Amino acid sequence: MSKNLTQAEILRYSRHLMLPEMGLAGQQKLKDSAVLIVGAGGLGSSVAMYLAAAGVGHIGIVDGDRVELSNLQRQVIHGESTLGISKVASALGRMLDINPHIQVTSYEEPFTAANAMRITRPYHLIVDCSDNFPTRYLTNDLCVLTGKPLVYGAVYRFDGQVSVFDARRGPCYRCLFPEPPPPHLTPTCAEGGVLGVLPGVIGMLQATETLKILLKTGEPLIGRLLLYNALDPSFEFVKLRKHPQCKVCGEQPSITGLIDYQAFCDLKRQEDALIEETYEISAADLAARLEQSSSLQLIDVREPHELEISALPGAHNIPLGQLAQRLSELSRQGEIVLICRAGVRSARALEVLWAAGFTQVSHLRGGINAWAREVDSRIAVY
């Protein structure tokens, strides 16, 4: 009997112990390992539960958000009983319920350049389960600078990606994507949607890669990007190469410390917001305007299937992706009000119309969800 595994643990992990690639020694490796999960959302849910069940001895999880009802379609570590509490507290309770023999450390705070080194110091490996580019670049740069492997995953609509970035043995995330994209070109799951089971598939693949690295068995996805499409369904692999001019892991790196990408992206968002706020209209003001005049052109830039959920009478539907090709359907004489779900796509549509020379244009602040909350409660919020 192992001197460190108790009888209860031996029984719990018995199906592991029968694997020749695992055995008592492999299970002990997992117990002695420390893994940090960045993000307690859809990907983090799957990763956290499977690493806990597998017996990884110390698991950290960092996230500054709280559990919301719209999370539960895919973030299966949470439930209605944990609505409103922090995601890391919700995750911690579920993980210890799965396996009380492990240690879980929760960090109820955003993952930033100011705290990243402190949070990651005790961990051997980082799993990126974030949902935004600032965190992905920050996590990548930190792993390169500290020599820690990074298990990456991302999902959007029906597509997912998985890879392992370890600059000591292959490329890093920045070799693939050198710079963060502009904020207005980065759609989120909140805007584009995501199939609820997809984060489970990608998260389990991330958990698998994590266990392989900790056990030093199999071939981790270093130098390969796995692409999964749930509709086909299909798995494809793209070979990745280390970029000699990479700013963080290249031959002459220019990034030698952590950068607060959130501040960088927020600055651009603030600049855009100053412009957009000048040309936005509240739901209450739009309702008053519609009572006074019928000359407003209401243009809904959502996808057609979204109009089945909620719609404003009289609004003309032109999806954002088709707007530039369908400008002839708009009158340059009257005032145009753009509408979407929450005000994000309509703000982008605003830029499209400005670029095309339209001057009498504004967009509904908060989108049709704001209209439902402030003007007409009969309309569904989604």
Side-chain angles (χ1 to χ4, degrees), residues 5-306:
L5 291 177
T6 66
Q7 178 58 56
E9 289 176 301
I10 288 175
L11 181 59
R12 174 181 288 267
Y13 306 127
S14 61
R15 301 304 186 271
H16 270 178
L17 304 184
M18 291 187 288
L19 295 171
E21 295 85 357
M22 176 80 75
L24 281 171
Q27 193 63 54
Q28 187 63 52
K29 283 182 182 178
L30 295 185
K31 185 173 182 177
D32 295 338
S33 297
V35 172
L36 178 71
I37 303 169
V38 179
L43 294 172
S45 290
S46 182
V47 172
M49 290 193 292
Y50 275 95
L51 293 187
V56 174
H58 182 197
I59 304 173
I61 188 160
V62 54
D63 197 306
D65 291 340
R66 293 183 173 271
V67 181
E68 300 178 359
L69 188 60
S70 62
N71 300 150
L72 303 187
Q73 161 256 14
R74 64 200 178 282
Q75 300 180 16
V76 294
I77 203 168
H78 312 301
E80 292 212 356
S81 63
T82 60
L83 286 173
I85 76 169
S86 71
K87 287 186 178 180
V88 292
S90 172
L92 182 148
R94 181 72 182 104
M95 293 162 71
L96 292 179
D97 183 50
I98 291 172
N99 190 349
H101 299 283
I102 64 172
Q103 174 189 350
V104 180
T105 303
S106 62
Y107 304 88
E108 187 182 345
E109 53 190 302
F111 192 65
T112 68
N115 62 21
M117 284 293 185
R118 167 180 59 83
I119 290 175
T120 57
R121 190 170 292 114
Y123 302 98
H124 306 127
L125 177 151
I126 313 300
V127 188
D128 178 11
C129 297
S130 62
D131 61 357
N132 63 85
F133 284 101
T135 303
R136 287 175 190 161
Y137 280 86
L138 173 63
T139 306
N140 174 79
D141 294 354
L142 180 143
C143 287
V144 173
L145 295 174
T146 59
K148 297 181 179 183
L150 173 65
V151 180
Y152 158 79
V155 293
Y156 181 67
R157 292 193 169 181
F158 297 94
D159 295 292
Q161 302 178 355
V162 183
S163 190
V164 174
F165 297 111
D166 188 340
R168 300 167 300 178
R169 296 189 283 168
C172 75
Y173 180 77
R174 200 182 272 277
C175 291
L176 181 60
F177 303 109
E179 295 290 346
H184 65 283
L185 294 180
T186 55
T188 66
C189 292
E191 298 170 49
V194 61
L195 182 66
V197 297
L198 181 63
V201 174
I202 300 303
M204 281 191 285
L205 290 170
Q206 286 182 277
T208 303
E209 292 302 304
T210 299
L211 295 177
K212 285 161 53 181
I213 294 169
L214 297 178
L215 293 168
K216 297 182 179 179
T217 188
E219 292 294 330
L221 284 169
I222 296 175
R224 291 181 294 163
L225 179 68
L226 184 155
L227 304 175
Y228 171 70
N229 179 273
L231 294 181
D232 290 338
S234 63
F235 287 92
E236 298 180 9
F237 293 89
V238 177
K239 289 186 177 181
L240 306 178
R241 299 183 183 277
K242 197 174 185 69
H243 198 302
Q245 283 76 49
C246 177
K247 292 184 178 181
V248 69
C249 79
E251 297 169 357
Q252 295 181 321
S254 58
I255 296 175
T256 56
L258 298 183
I259 299 172
D260 193 350
Y261 291 102
Q262 188 64 53
F264 169 80
C265 292
D266 282 349
L267 180 61
K268 179 68 173 85
R269 290 185 190 275
Q270 290 166 11
E271 293 172 351
D272 291 344
L274 289 174
I275 299 173
E276 292 163 6
E277 287 175 6
T278 307
Y279 295 92
E280 67 181 12
I281 185 171
S282 70
D285 288 344
L286 178 58
R289 291 286 306 279
L290 289 173
E291 286 184 2
Q292 298 169 2
S293 172
S294 59
S295 63
L296 293 179
Q297 298 180 72
L298 301 180
I299 306 299
D300 194 321
V301 298
R302 295 176 295 160
E303 296 299 315
H305 66 271
E306 293 180 78

Side-chain angles (χ1 to χ4, degrees), residues 305-365:
H305 66 271
E306 293 180 78
L307 273 64
E308 298 176 8
I309 305 170
S310 61
L312 284 185
H316 181 49
N317 179 223
I318 305 179
L320 177 59
Q322 302 176 19
L323 185 58
Q325 289 75 43
R326 296 174 60 181
L327 296 178
S328 60
E329 299 177 29
L330 307 179
S331 170
R332 294 179 181 269
Q333 305 305 315
E335 183 178 349
I336 298 172
V337 178
L338 300 162
I339 302 168
C340 70
R341 171 184 166 270
V344 177
R345 280 173 284 178
S346 58
R348 293 178 187 160
L350 201 66
E351 297 179 358
V352 173
L353 295 192
W354 285 340
F358 287 82
T359 56
Q360 298 185 71
V361 58
S362 60
H363 78 111
L364 177 59
R365 182 174 65 235

